[in-house]
Amino acid sequence: SFSPPTVGPYVTRNPLLAATDMPPPVEKPNYKNTGKSIDEVFSNNQKWIDSKESVDPNYFNALGSVHKPKYLWIGCADARVPANEIMGLDAGDVFVLRNVANMVTGTDFNVMSALQYAVTALEVPHIIVCGHYDCGGVRASIENRDHTPPLENWLRSIRDVYRLHSSELNAIKDPERRHRRLVELNVIEQCINLFKTGVVQRKRVETFRSDEFSITQPRIHAVVFDPATGKLVPLKVDFRQYIDELHDIYDLYAIEDETKVDAANKEALSSLKKGEQPHLPGDIDVDVGVGK
């Protein structure tokens, strides 16, 4: 059955916990009688300013003069997944792109424009694709009903992920475990979608050829956040098993200098620890990838 478990979006169930270990459900906030004012937003903003300046009087001078983030974060719009906060990073460290279920869709101008700007203008060395358990978008995608456009159009791409991995997912009998695995597989597929883009391939070829870069950039990392525990976990993925067969279809740039390729691969191989695999040009990295 494709029916999702009867768990609301504000109540996360961890299938690894016994029922007796589960915390009591948390009731949804009720905003039906909320006031018209958003004064709390501005009051909190001033408190934030004061707290930053009390530690570093020049904090905003620096923040206002330089924009050079290290990470592009592609995450879900879910309010429980604030990128900077869960990574323990400050303002200015992360260029953030969020949408329903952390999708990388080639026809979405918002996603593609942000990706292009991050890679070519900001030159971020790392791209993080972050999914999260108890994702409402992923849950909705496995319901056999029309959520009506444009949301239904968006969810169809997650349904496609299910179709690609239906044998594995249908073998998981527990619906919550199946949901969590679909969250993970969706992250992996969005990382592969990044690999397919010309802007990522072009930058990786440029940085591979350049002696100024110690590693090929951008590196692509698949992670999942669990709002029930606060843990941000890297997925252990060997992307080669997913994309080796796709090179002939999706590769847009070739590295003509075969001598340099061979030398780089040889150097990577010589530096390997037992059991590790080299990072070869054109491949997406596992988080623990080695070599240039």
Side-chain angles (χ1 to χ4, degrees):
S1 171
F2 286 84
S3 300
T6 55
V7 180
Y10 288 89
V11 185
T12 301
R13 295 294 192 225
N14 187 335
L16 304 181
L17 295 177
T20 55
D21 297 327
M22 292 281 191
V26 179
E27 293 186 6
K28 290 184 181 180
N30 185 345
Y31 298 122
K32 291 182 179 179
N33 296 316
T34 188
K36 296 180 180 180
S37 171
I38 59 168
D39 286 345
E40 65 174 332
V41 171
F42 306 108
S43 174
N44 290 337
N45 171 249
Q46 187 58 54
K47 292 177 183 177
W48 174 70
I49 293 172
D50 294 341
S51 69
K52 291 297 184 182
E53 291 183 332
S54 67
V55 176
D56 179 5
N58 293 316
Y59 178 86
F60 290 103
N61 289 333
L63 187 64
S65 60
V66 178
H67 184 215
K68 190 65 175 176
K70 185 177 182 179
Y71 304 98
L72 166 60
W73 170 280
I74 301 177
C76 184
D78 191 295
R80 299 167 297 174
V81 195
N84 293 61
E85 188 170 349
I86 65 177
M87 290 193 290
L89 297 175
D90 209 344
D93 294 334
V94 190
F95 191 63
V96 178
L97 171 63
R98 300 173 70 176
N99 57 42
V100 174
N102 43 271
M103 302 300 290
V104 178
T105 306
T107 54
D108 184 341
F109 284 5
N110 179 39
V111 171
M112 292 296 109
S113 298
L115 175 64
Q116 180 180 350
Y117 183 72
V119 171
T120 62
L122 298 177
E123 297 183 315
V124 295
H126 297 280
I127 301 177
I128 298 171
V129 179
C130 179
H132 69 97
Y133 301 127
D134 195 35
C135 178
V138 172
R139 290 198 190 281
S141 73
I142 60 174
E143 294 178 328
N144 290 121
R145 69 184 184 91
D146 183 4
H147 296 276
T148 70
L151 179 58
E152 181 56 41
N153 305 63
W154 190 263
L155 296 177
R156 191 178 305 130
S157 295
I158 313 176
R159 299 183 195 274
D160 290 340
V161 173
Y162 197 115
R163 174 178 57 81
L164 290 171
H165 300 276
S166 58
S167 296
E168 176 185 351
L169 290 167
N170 289 338
I172 302 173
K173 301 306 179 184
D174 181 80
E176 186 64 12
R177 289 182 180 273
R178 189 189 310 132
H179 159 78
R180 291 166 74 93
R181 184 54 180 158
L182 180 54
V183 166
E184 296 167 355
L185 291 169
N186 186 51
V187 170
I188 293 170
E189 290 296 334
Q190 304 320 307
C191 288
I192 294 173
N193 286 344
L194 285 171
F195 158 77
K196 297 174 184 177
T197 64
V199 64
V200 167
Q201 291 189 32
R202 182 167 59 250
K203 191 66 173 181
R204 288 180 61 81
V205 170
E206 290 175 358
T207 56
F208 172 77
R209 287 172 173 161
S210 174
D211 294 331
E212 297 179 5
F213 293 84
S214 60
I215 61 172
T216 308
Q217 299 181 8
R219 314 298 258 195
I220 298 171
H221 308 271
V223 306
V224 172
F225 176 70
D226 189 345
T229 64
K231 291 289 289 184
L232 185 66
V233 181
L235 294 177
K236 298 184 183 301
V237 186
D238 181 359
F239 280 106
R240 289 170 184 79
Q241 70 177 355
Y242 290 95
I243 67 171
D244 275 351
E245 63 185 34
L246 303 180
H247 279 301
D248 291 341
I249 302 172
Y250 293 105
D251 276 7
L252 304 177
Y253 294 87
I255 299 177
E256 296 84 1
D257 190 349
E258 296 297 335
T259 303
K260 183 169 183 180
V261 173
D262 291 341
N265 290 345
K266 188 179 222 179
E267 182 181 350
L269 286 166
S270 67
S271 65
L272 292 179
K273 296 178 182 177
K274 185 177 180 180
E276 289 182 330
Q277 294 295 321
H279 164 67
L280 304 181
D283 289 339
I284 300 181
D285 302 326
V286 185
D287 283 278
V288 294
V290 298
K292 182 169 169 67

